Amino acid sequence: MSVTIRHYRVGDAQGIAELFNRHHDNPNPVAGGITPGEVVRELAERDTAAFLVAVDEGRVVGTFGLFNSTGRRSARAGELIADMFFVAPAYRNGVLTGRLFTEAVEWMMRSGCLVLRLTVNPANTVAFRLYRRVGCVCVGRTTPGEDGNVELHNYIPLVLRSVAGDLGDDARSALREVTSFATLVDSRDDDLRSDVRPAGGARTVHYRLLLGDFRLTASVDVDRGTVRQAAVGRPDGTTRPLRPAEPPYRVRAPRGAAPHRFAAGGAVCEVDGDDATVRVWHEGHHGPVFISTWPGCQANGPSGWREGEPRDLDVVRVGGGVRVTERCREGEVVGTITLDGGVLRQDFAFTAPPGRIFQTVGLRQAVFVHADGRRHPLGLDVGVRDASEVVAASEPVPVGRELAWLGSSTEIRMPVGEPVRLVHSALVERGLERGPDGVARLRTVIRPAAAPTAAPRAAAALRTPPGTGGPRRLELDAAAAGVTRWTEGATRVLRSPHPRSRAFGCNPRWSAGMWVTRERQRYHRSAGLGWGVRSPAGWEAEHPLALYCPHTRTGWEITAPGDTTEPVRVDVRTPPAGDEAGDEAEAVLWITPDTPRKTTVMLESAGTRWALASTGFRQVWAAAAAVRLSDGSWLDCRPSPGSGGEREIALRSTPSGLLVGCVSPAGRRSTTWHLSVHDEPTL
C-alpha cells in the first residue's frame, strides 16, 4: 500500500463521509451517518486551520483535522484543537497513524500555532497510549466527563520553537534528523493522572526530549502558554541553560470578573463577566435550566457550549438586565439581555456577521415536544439524533414552529423565528437575523410548569422473581471498591469483572458491579457527570457490607434484609457542605446490572412513565427506573421515600452494557437508595 498524505480538497468530502460511515469506531459518530455536504459545512463552521487526508489509490483511508473551534470547545491564542483523527482499521498497524500526527504538528509549527489540544476516551487504551507516547500531557481533569473524554495537551512545538534560536548548530542538526515524535519524547507512563507540577506559583509540565545525542529539558507554564526554563544536555555530559523566546502571541487569561445577576419572578439570570455566557436558574430545579453562549464579533469565531473564551467586554446595567458590548478588529456586537414576565430576551446589534450561539436546556427530566408535535422523554439520541460530534449534521427546525421542554417544575418554550438547528434534544444552535430595525431578537419562555409533578412513590411489594427461591447474597470487596456479586436466589443482579479490572463504556478501571465515586456536578458546563472512574485512593472495609475511603472521607453501607420482600438499602455518606472534599460535587452510586445486550428500561421522568429499548438512547435521566435483567426479572432503583428532587438516576447505554448512576449532591451527610428485584416493573 502506497499512501499519500496531503491537505484536504473539496472533492475529498465524499471519501471522508464514506470512511466515517463505514466504521462505527470513528471519533465523530452520528447515528445514520453523515453526508459529503455536512463534511464541507462542518469544516467551514469549525474555522479549520488544516485538514490532512491520507489517500491510497484515490480512496481516503485516514484524516487529521486542526481546528479553532469544534462546537464544544474553542482554542486559545496559539492553540489548535485536533479532532476527526481517524485511520481505517486495515492501516493501523503500520506507520500511517504516526505520519499523520507528525505532519500535522510540523504544519502547526510552520504556521505559528504551538500548542495542540485533543480529547481521547481513556478506555481506548490504544489511542491513549499513542498520545502519551508522542508527548501529550494531562493538565486538567484526569477522569472523563459526560462526553466520555479527557483532554490532553501537547506543548512540544512550543518548546522547540521557543529554544530553537539558542540550541546551537549541532543540536539543531540533530533535531532535523528526528522523523517521529515517538522517537523525540522520553517515555511517559500510561497512567491516567495529572502531569502538572506547581512551581513558583505557576502550573507547569516538564518535558525531556531526545535530539540524537542531545537531551533537551523544559518546563512549560500551561496557563500562560510559555516556556519558563530550558536546558540542553550535550553528548559530553555537560548541560547548558537556554534562553527561551516568547511565543508570537499572547494568551488571554480569564480576569475572574464577577458575574452580573438579576432576577424576575422565580428565575435568576447570570451573565458571566469573562465570556458573557448566560445562565438562568429557576425555582425547584437543581442547576441552571438554560445556558446560552455569547456569539462574539467574529463569524465562525471561537465559541463552544462546553467552553467559552475570555473576552474584552463592557457590561452596564439596564432596566431588567444588562447590556454587553464586545469590540474587535472585525467589528462590534452589542447584546441586551433582560428577564421579565417569564421571558428571556436577547437582542443583538452588530456591525459585521457575528459568531454562533449555542443554547443548552438544563432540564434533565422533561418531555421534549418537537416542532412537529411529537413527544418523547428528554435524552440523548431519543427522538432527535445526537449530532454533537458533527454539528453540521444537526436537524433544522422550520421557522414559525415552537420547541418545548416540559419539566416537573419548569417548562421552557422556544418560538422559532430565526434559523434554528437541533444538535440534540437539549442543545440548539440559533442564528442571528436582523429585523427591519437592524436588531436580531431571540426569545425564550421560562416559567413554572403548568402542573408540577410529585416525587416517585415507593416500589410495590416484591413478588418472587421467576426461577428464584433461594437466599439473597451480596459480596463486597474493598480491593475492587464495591460489590462484586449480588444474587436473589438464582437471579444474578449485577455484572462484574471481578477479580479482574477492565474497561466499561468510558471507564478504563471497571472492577465491581456496584460502587461509589465522587463526581463533578451533573450540570457542570465543561464536564457534566463523569463515568464512575474510581479514585486511586484505597477503600477500607468497615464491616462485610460497608466501605470507607479516608482520602475523600466518603463511605457507603448496604443493608440487605434476609426477607427478600424488603429492598436492599444503600446509604452513601459524604463530608458536610463546606468541607473541601464535599463542596459542589456529586455522590454517585453506580450499578452495572446483569442485562442482555438488548433490554428494556422503564422510567419515571417529569411525572410521565416511559418504556425505552436500551438500543434507543445514549443517556436519559429519571426519578425512578426499572431495568429488565437477563432472566426476565426487573431491578428497581429509586431514592428512599421522602427524598427531594435533587436525587436523580442517570442511565447510559453503551457498547459495554447498561450503566446506572444514582446521583445525589455530596455534602448532605447521607443519601439512601432502595434497590429491589421484581418479576415485573413496579413503576
Side-chain angles (χ1 to χ4, degrees):
M1 294 179 284
S2 178
V3 180
T4 301
I5 296 176
R6 57 169 172 76
H7 284 267
Y8 165 83
R9 303 167 186 163
V10 174
D12 294 326
Q14 178 75 36
I16 294 168
E18 291 175 354
L19 173 68
F20 279 49
N21 294 341
R22 272 197 309 270
H23 304 288
H24 296 299
D25 63 338
N26 80 76
N28 302 81
V30 177
I34 56 177
T35 67
E38 289 165 348
V39 171
V40 173
R41 181 171 183 172
E42 184 73 6
L43 298 186
E45 292 180 342
R46 288 184 176 217
D47 192 14
T48 301
F51 196 88
L52 301 180
V53 294
V55 180
D56 185 11
E57 296 183 351
R59 189 164 62 103
V60 176
V61 297
T63 59
F64 194 113
L66 295 169
F67 307 102
N68 286 289
S69 174
T70 63
R72 274 192 176 86
R73 306 191 187 280
S74 56
R76 301 188 305 175
E79 294 180 343
L80 287 174
I81 300 174
D83 193 24
M84 301 180 76
F85 182 15
F86 185 65
V87 174
Y91 294 79
R92 292 176 189 170
N93 292 329
V95 298
L96 180 57
T97 301
R99 284 180 58 199
L100 273 169
F101 188 92
T102 299
E103 292 202 21
V105 173
E106 288 177 349
W107 182 90
M108 280 182 59
M109 293 180 65
R110 292 193 299 270
S111 69
C113 291
L114 305 178
V115 178
L116 181 69
R117 294 171 54 184
L118 55 88
T119 57
V120 60
N121 175 356
N124 183 347
T125 55
V126 173
F128 185 76
R129 287 170 182 163
L130 166 68
Y131 293 139
R132 294 291 282 175
R133 197 164 62 244
V134 296
C136 294
V137 295
C138 183
V139 302
R141 291 182 300 106
T142 59
T143 56
E146 180 178 312
D147 299 330
N149 297 315
V150 294
E151 186 171 43
L152 302 177
H153 289 65
N154 195 306
Y155 296 95
I156 292 178
L158 173 65
V159 170
L160 297 180
R161 174 80 173 258
S162 299
V163 304
D166 195 31
L167 266 182
D169 292 340
D170 290 345
R172 276 196 295 269
S173 177
L175 175 59
R176 286 193 290 269
E177 297 298 320
V178 174
T179 59
S180 168
F181 268 56
T183 62
L184 176 65
V185 181
D186 201 0
S187 61
R188 288 187 183 271
D189 58 46
D190 297 330
D191 289 345
L192 186 58
R193 58 173 175 75
S194 175
D195 293 292
V196 171
R197 302 182 192 175
R203 297 193 315 137
T204 68
V205 293
H206 291 244
Y207 277 95
R208 187 169 182 264
L209 306 180
L210 311 178
L211 313 180
D213 294 330
F214 294 85
R215 301 292 183 269
L216 174 62
T217 58
S219 171
V220 177
D221 183 326
V222 300
D223 294 314
R224 292 184 60 236
T226 59
V227 176
R228 297 179 76 243
Q229 297 175 331
V232 61
R234 301 185 180 97
D236 61 7
T238 61
T239 300
R240 180 173 65 87
L242 300 174
R243 298 183 299 274
E246 289 290 317
Y249 50 79
R250 181 180 66 86
V251 174
R252 179 183 296 170
R255 296 173 300 162
H260 304 269
R261 293 188 178 92
F262 45 95
V268 176
C269 184
E270 176 183 281
V271 179
D272 190 277
D274 277 324
D275 66 10
T277 296
V278 175
R279 296 175 179 85
V280 179
W281 279 262
H282 198 261
E283 290 179 342
H285 186 263
H286 186 60
V289 298
F290 190 76
I291 305 99
S292 179
T293 64
W294 174 255
C297 54
Q298 180 183 352
N300 288 336
S303 176
W305 63 84
R306 284 292 190 198
E307 174 187 86
E309 181 178 337
R311 302 175 184 275
D312 293 325
L313 304 172
D314 179 31
V315 184
V316 296
R317 291 276 180 179
V318 297
V322 296
R323 178 178 295 118
V324 182
T325 303
E326 181 189 10
R327 299 177 180 89
C328 61
R329 288 180 303 175
E330 287 78 7
E332 177 183 89
V333 174
V334 179
T336 303
I337 299 107
T338 59
L339 185 63
D340 181 54
V343 180
L344 175 68
R345 294 176 168 85
Q346 298 169 275
D347 297 341
F348 295 95
F350 38 87
T351 58
R356 311 161 78 180
I357 289 184
F358 293 104
Q359 297 185 330
T360 303
V361 172
L363 301 177
R364 292 174 295 276
Q365 299 180 54
V367 176
F368 174 59
V369 185
H370 200 282
D372 60 10
R374 287 180 291 128
R375 293 173 172 244
H376 40 73
L378 182 62
L380 294 180
D381 269 341
V382 183
V384 178
R385 71 172 182 171
D386 180 0
S388 56
E389 292 292 349
V390 181
V391 178
S394 301
E395 177 184 336
V397 181
V399 173
R401 301 290 182 88
E402 180 185 75
L403 301 172
W405 295 263
L406 310 179
S408 56
S409 60
T410 304
E411 67 177 44
I412 298 174
R413 296 182 180 274
M414 186 180 293
V416 179
E418 67 287 326
V420 169
R421 294 193 293 175
L422 272 168
V423 183
H424 57 63
S425 58
L427 176 63
V428 300
E429 181 185 357
R430 295 178 81 171
L432 295 178
E433 288 193 346
R434 291 187 178 99
D437 59 355
V439 177
R441 293 178 169 82
L442 304 182
R443 299 291 181 264
T444 308
V445 177
I446 303 173
R447 64 192 184 195
T453 57
R457 299 165 295 175
L462 180 71
R463 291 183 291 274
T464 304
T468 66
R472 168 181 283 162
R473 299 181 185 275
L474 287 97
E475 296 178 5
L476 187 148
D477 188 291
V483 176
T484 58
R485 182 189 181 202
W486 175 12
T487 57
E488 300 267 324
T491 298
R492 181 183 173 191
V493 181
L494 303 178
R495 288 182 60 203
S496 167
H498 185 73
R500 298 177 300 277
S501 175
R502 63 181 179 85
F504 188 102
C506 299
N507 179 355
R509 296 195 292 260
W510 176 51
S511 57
M514 186 191 306
W515 69 102
V516 170
T517 64
R518 297 282 297 277
E519 304 286 346
R520 292 281 188 95
Q521 300 105 318
R522 67 197 84 172
Y523 55 84
H524 194 283
R525 178 185 177 185
S526 67
L529 188 73
W531 282 81
V533 179
R534 64 187 179 112
S535 167
W539 290 79
E540 300 173 355
E542 293 187 309
H543 64 70
L545 290 180
L547 292 178
Y548 180 72
C549 178
H551 179 72
T552 62
R553 297 171 55 200
T554 299
W556 57 295
E557 180 177 12
I558 300 172
T559 302
D563 181 359
T564 56
T565 63
E566 294 294 325
V568 170
R569 170 180 168 143
V570 182
D571 295 285
V572 181
R573 308 186 310 275
T574 54
D579 283 16
E580 182 179 354
D583 191 33
E584 295 197 340
E586 310 282 8
V588 185
L589 172 69
W590 298 98
I591 302 167
T592 48
D594 183 60
T595 65
R597 182 173 294 274
K598 296 180 180 179
T599 193
T600 302
V601 173
M602 302 290 293
L603 308 175
E604 184 172 315
S605 177
T608 306
R609 291 170 176 80
W610 306 89
L612 298 176
S614 61
T615 54
F617 68 92
R618 285 185 51 230
Q619 175 176 284
V620 291
W621 288 82
V627 177
R628 191 174 187 272
L629 301 174
S630 294
D631 73 344
S633 54
W634 292 77
L635 172 64
D636 184 277
C637 309
R638 64 184 63 227
S640 61
S643 299
E646 295 176 346
R647 293 163 175 81
E648 299 178 286
I649 298 173
L651 298 102
R652 290 173 174 164
S653 183
T654 80
S656 306
L658 196 65
L659 178 64
V660 179
C662 302
V663 186
S664 61
R668 306 297 171 89
R669 293 192 181 275
S670 181
T671 297
T672 302
W673 297 93
H674 286 183
L675 311 175
S676 53
V677 177
H678 303 248
D679 60 1
E680 60 184 56
T682 59
L683 297 182

